[in-house]
Amino acid sequence: MIYLDNAATTPVADEVLQAMMPYYSQVYGNPSSVHASGRQAKGAIERAREQVASAINAKPNEIVFTSGGTEADNAAIIGTALGYRDRGKHLITTKIEHHAVLHAFEYLEEIGYEVTYIAPESDGIVRVEAIEQAMREDTILISVMAVNNETGAIQPIAEIGELAKRKSVLFHTDAVQAVGLLELDVERMSIDLLSISGHKLHGPKGVGALFVRRGTHWKPTQHGGAQEFNRRAGTENLPGIVGLGVAIERAAGSREASWEHLQALRETMLSALRAGVDQLVVNSAPDSVPSILNLTIPGVSAERLLMNLDMLGIMAASGSACTSGSLLPSHVLMAMGLAEQSVRAAVRFSFSGQNTREEVAEAAQKVVQVVERLSRR
Ligand SMILES: Cc1ncc(COP(=O)(O)O)c(C=O)c1O
């Protein structure tokens, strides 16, 4: 099997799994309990909080653990809208966000907020000028992802942060696909809220984190116990949080080496496909993150290509994993202005540090063979 769908999820790294194991059956106290086992569990959570904070240059008390990227996005957006509703009801985001962001904004529209959705240029990148033009007196939040999960396009988050700061508006970024690839510094980039997910960085599924800058009048959206300093109720996912801490420390610590390796993988795939497939169209901008390669092979439907590759043991995707069972064409590629036919033919190969050049070369060779066969029909 050759797994090239790492933007959907990644395998848990051995080191991460080893770090998590004791917290299932040895140190299993409730972190809120005051006895020794509870204190030990609490200590492990606080260590993980430091690991997450350190990866993005935040303070540990600015990190809230969540059940993943989706909850972090929802909490960031809805929590800010509630906290600042007396100041204004206008919010700005983009048309290329993950559904965890888009659907949270749609919910806010249903309850009386106004949202402006900015389109990217044809390269999949949103321009800071377009955001500035959309700003109003009553704008309270700008939310723009750091890296797009379908194309890998890197968004100008430092410039957007600077704009938001100048205009005294809050800035949230969904950094789920950026951790371990881009340098993320919430101070230097003037980021007020940032979402993280464990399973995209060789950590476990069902755990994530939200950075909330101190002093932000953000309102928690989950109510119950006093966990996470009254910011996220519910008994903590102890092994998951420990795993996220180790995973993010590994990812942030190997960022440069990992970028180089991924670049070599993308180059291996691209050069083989360019040589073997006529009229190959690359939908990812040239300076996208090297982990994601979005392509269109004109005349070959993504569905048939992916099905044939799956039968040969090669796993890739037609876009975001959350929309792959749906018949709707990708909202990201449509927003970039691609024709619907090209969007329906788009495939995404996404790499991780665990992929080798040899397996990517083998996968590329099989793609060429399948495309040849399908085009002959
Ligand atoms: C950009 C982006 N945001 C949010 C999410 C949701 O994260 P999770 O699966 O942890 O809920 C994903 C994962 O698909 C993603 O790629």
Side-chain angles (χ1 to χ4, degrees):
M1 161 181 135
I2 303 178
Y3 182 78
L4 301 180
D5 195 15
N6 291 280
T9 196
T10 54
V12 175
D14 285 344
E15 191 188 335
V16 172
L17 190 60
Q18 292 313 315
M20 290 170 67
M21 289 308 274
Y23 294 93
Y24 281 106
S25 53
Q26 291 167 32
V27 183
Y28 49 80
N30 187 318
S32 299
S33 298
V34 291
H35 51 59
S37 183
R39 290 199 304 276
Q40 229 182 326
K42 180 100 182 142
I45 290 182
E46 294 318 312
R47 243 186 335 278
R49 202 184 305 282
E50 283 166 20
Q51 287 166 313
V52 173
S54 150
I56 57 170
N57 193 25
K59 308 268 185 310
N61 63 9
E62 294 175 315
I63 303 299
V64 182
F65 288 112
T66 67
S67 64
T70 299
E71 186 191 325
D73 284 339
N74 272 262
I77 295 160
I78 298 168
T80 303
L82 294 178
Y84 289 81
R85 65 184 182 279
D86 293 338
R87 190 187 287 182
K89 289 206 161 176
H90 180 239
L91 313 112
I92 299 174
T93 189
T94 80
K95 293 188 173 177
I96 58 165
E97 300 297 314
H98 190 273
H99 282 142
V101 166
L102 288 177
H103 290 168
F105 278 113
E106 284 166 19
Y107 164 69
L108 288 175
E109 285 181 298
E110 280 172 25
I111 59 167
Y113 288 83
E114 272 185 78
V115 183
T116 302
Y117 298 89
I118 308 288
E121 296 294 314
S122 57
D123 55 7
I125 301 169
V126 172
R127 300 298 189 266
V128 66
E129 296 77 21
I131 293 171
E132 185 157 12
Q133 276 167 19
M135 291 189 74
R136 309 190 325 205
E137 281 293 301
D138 60 342
T139 306
I140 52 173
L141 174 72
I142 300 171
S143 176
V144 179
M145 69 198 326
V147 168
N148 181 267
N149 51 301
E150 293 191 35
T151 64
I154 302 172
Q155 306 302 320
I157 53 168
E159 289 90 325
I160 298 169
E162 200 270 324
L163 166 72
K165 190 173 180 180
R166 184 156 44 84
K167 303 269 187 182
S168 302
V169 167
L170 291 169
F171 175 42
H172 164 247
T173 189
D174 172 342
V176 165
Q177 296 285 348
V179 181
L181 288 166
L182 303 187
E183 188 196 351
L184 293 168
D185 181 328
V186 293
E187 290 304 323
R188 190 173 62 73
M189 298 173 148
S190 306
I191 295 166
D192 298 301
L193 302 113
L194 180 146
S195 309
I196 292 168
S197 168
H199 71 107
K200 311 285 181 174
L201 26 121
H202 301 288
K205 294 171 179 60
V207 64
L210 175 64
F211 156 76
V212 186
R213 179 175 293 284
R214 63 198 166 282
T216 306
H217 299 300
W218 167 83
K219 280 220 178 290
T221 47
Q222 181 152 310
H223 306 284
Q227 290 91 353
E228 293 298 280
F229 311 100
N230 288 312
R231 294 175 301 179
R232 199 275 186 183
T235 302
E236 299 88 339
N237 172 1
L238 176 61
I241 290 171
V242 168
L244 172 63
V246 176
I248 201 166
E249 191 172 70
R250 278 177 88 247
S254 59
R255 202 165 45 80
E256 281 163 23
S258 153
W259 182 281
E260 247 175 65
H261 177 66
L262 293 166
Q263 220 166 13
L265 298 181
R266 180 176 63 176
E267 216 25 66
T268 302
M269 174 65 90
L270 250 186
S271 53
L273 294 189
R274 281 206 168 108
V277 176
D278 283 343
Q279 302 173 305
L280 182 79
V281 181
V282 180
N283 301 319
S284 298
D287 52 2
S288 296
V289 290
S291 51
I292 298 179
L293 182 58
N294 194 304
L295 305 163
T296 294
I297 300 172
V300 175
S301 97
E303 204 184 327
R304 289 177 71 199
L305 176 59
L306 293 171
M307 209 168 64
N308 278 273
L309 288 175
D310 192 16
M311 287 192 289
L312 295 171
I314 295 162
M315 272 144 248
S318 58
S320 139
C322 318
T323 47
S324 6
S326 100
L327 295 172
L328 294 174
S330 148
H331 66 282
V332 175
L333 300 181
M334 291 299 284
M336 286 162 62
L338 267 73
E340 189 170 331
Q341 217 178 5
S342 304
V343 176
R344 291 200 185 272
V347 287
R348 178 187 72 182
F349 294 100
S350 50
F351 313 108
S352 90
Q354 293 192 6
N355 289 125
T356 64
R357 259 171 117 143
E358 291 69 31
E359 60 179 8
V360 170
E362 186 188 330
Q365 197 190 3
K366 297 219 164 110
V367 173
V368 172
Q369 285 165 6
V370 171
V371 168
E372 258 174 26
R373 188 149 41 83
L374 293 177
S375 327
R376 259 191 264 122
R377 287 195 187 156

